[in-house]
Structure formats: structure tokens, C-alpha cells
Amino acid sequence: MTTDDVQVRTAIAAAGRSLLDRGYAHGGAGNISVRTTGGILMTPTGRSLGAIDPERLSLVTPQGVPVAGDAPTKEAAVHLAVYAARPSATAIVHLHAPHSTAVSCLADLDPADTMPPLTAYHVMRVGRLPLVGYHPPGDAGLAEEVAGLAGDHHVMLLANHGTVASGHDLAAALAVAEEIEQTARLVLLLGNRVTRPLDPDQVAQLARR
């Protein structure tokens, strides 16, 4: 095992503990993956993100063939679909965080963009957040629908499920996942109050930064 491999494994375990400790994950929900030169490292199925053994992380090929470690997350196909569609992505964080999952259960969401541009950081880190229709966890249809959106979107809200966020490295994917949860919290706090989202000109100005 190379030094770089050890560092990536350690970073995944540390990220999982941090997400659990801060309330972004619970039980065995949520999973993390990182694309490396030797394959794709994933958190194992049914394992709490707060109890990840770096040496037992799943290692699979880009086609999903197991290479080493424990059995991968049941959402492995979702991760693989994003990596196939987004060559620039090297890390993915899938969460069932409470506020964003609550928003994913709301009726009448705009499927093209489920959360308003309430803050500059949401616009810069998240952008448009499309909705993926409901599928049971691990269902092949979920990965298929994700594959159809991932080429144009680095983030997705999964109906009645949670979020998927990708980034050019693990820190970037984590930052995006956390920003989605923060915006979802604001959406729920504001409730039915009349809000003042950023207007199209303000959004465009941020896109040029």
C-alpha cells in the first residue's frame, strides 16, 4: 500500500467520523468514495461513517468489480455512474442528512432546481440542484437516472432519500454536500415566508467570479 493510498484511506475515515459527529450522517446511512489510480475506494455497506476502518475500505474497478476490502456500499452503482459521466470528479459524498432529506420529501419541488439561490455560497458551490425521482436504495433505476444527470450536474437531490455531491477532491465534495444541507436548513426555517432569493443578475455575477 503506497503512502498516497494510506493518506486517502485515512482521509475518508476522518471525513466519515466528522460527518457523523456533526449530525450529517446517522447509523449506517451515507457513503463516501474517492477515485484513485488503483481503482475506486468506497465505504463498505452497512457500516457507520463514524466507524470506518481505513484498511477495510472497498476497492472496486471503474466497472464495479471488487478488488479488495469489504463489500462496497449498496449505492456503488450511483458512484460509478457519476464517475463515468464526470471525468473531473475524484470524490463523491452521498448523505441522508436531515434537512436536505426533509426537503427531498416535499411536494411540488421544481425538478430542474429544487432549492432557491438564497445565498451566494449556495450559488457558487451548488448551483442548480436537480431532483432524481424516487427509487429504492440500491435499485438499478436510481443509478440510471443519476447517470442521465451527472454529465451536467455535480450535485443531485434524491427524492425521499438524500443528496449526492461530487468534487475534484474529497474536500470539495464535502464542502458541496455541507452547503446543500445548510441551504435546506434555511429553506425549512423560512417555511412559507416570502423570501428574497438572489436575482438572475446577482446569480450571473457570481458565476463570473
Side-chain angles (χ1 to χ4, degrees):
M1 193 178 297
T2 67
T3 300
D4 286 347
D5 190 56
V6 170
Q7 290 176 341
V8 171
R9 288 170 177 270
T10 301
I12 292 173
R17 285 194 300 273
S18 176
L19 290 168
L20 186 79
D21 290 346
R22 292 181 294 136
Y24 288 91
H26 61 278
N31 34 78
I32 301 170
S33 70
V34 174
R35 176 156 45 187
T36 72
T37 55
I40 298 171
L41 285 168
M42 297 184 177
T43 51
T45 185
R47 194 69 50 79
S48 167
L49 288 183
I52 299 299
D53 181 345
E55 295 185 3
R56 297 182 68 87
L57 286 169
S58 306
L59 180 65
V60 303
T61 69
Q63 295 74 37
V65 178
V67 175
D70 292 342
T73 167
K74 67 171 64 71
E75 303 293 8
V78 169
H79 290 251
L80 298 175
V82 175
Y83 287 128
R86 301 189 68 82
S88 62
T90 62
I92 295 169
V93 176
H94 166 49
L95 295 177
H96 303 177
H99 298 96
S100 48
T101 301
V103 170
S104 82
C105 299
L106 295 176
D108 301 322
L109 292 172
D110 178 356
D113 193 9
T114 55
M115 294 189 200
L118 293 174
T119 69
Y121 287 100
H122 178 83
V123 172
M124 292 187 292
R125 292 177 178 167
V126 179
R128 297 181 72 82
L129 181 64
L131 182 69
V132 176
Y134 174 75
H135 299 271
D139 184 76
L142 176 59
E144 290 174 8
E145 192 168 348
V146 165
L149 290 168
D152 295 321
H153 301 279
H154 68 295
V155 291
M156 282 160 268
L157 185 68
L158 312 183
N160 304 83
H161 188 156
T163 58
V164 173
S166 64
H168 61 83
D169 60 20
L170 181 55
L174 287 165
V176 172
E178 292 170 14
E179 194 65 43
I180 296 171
E181 177 66 0
Q182 176 64 13
T183 301
R185 183 170 181 268
L186 294 176
V187 168
L188 296 173
L189 281 171
L190 291 166
N192 294 323
R193 295 179 178 88
V194 178
T195 60
R196 188 183 63 252
L198 301 183
D199 64 38
D201 288 339
Q202 291 169 326
V203 170
Q205 183 182 39
L206 290 167
R208 293 192 295 269
R209 292 178 69 86

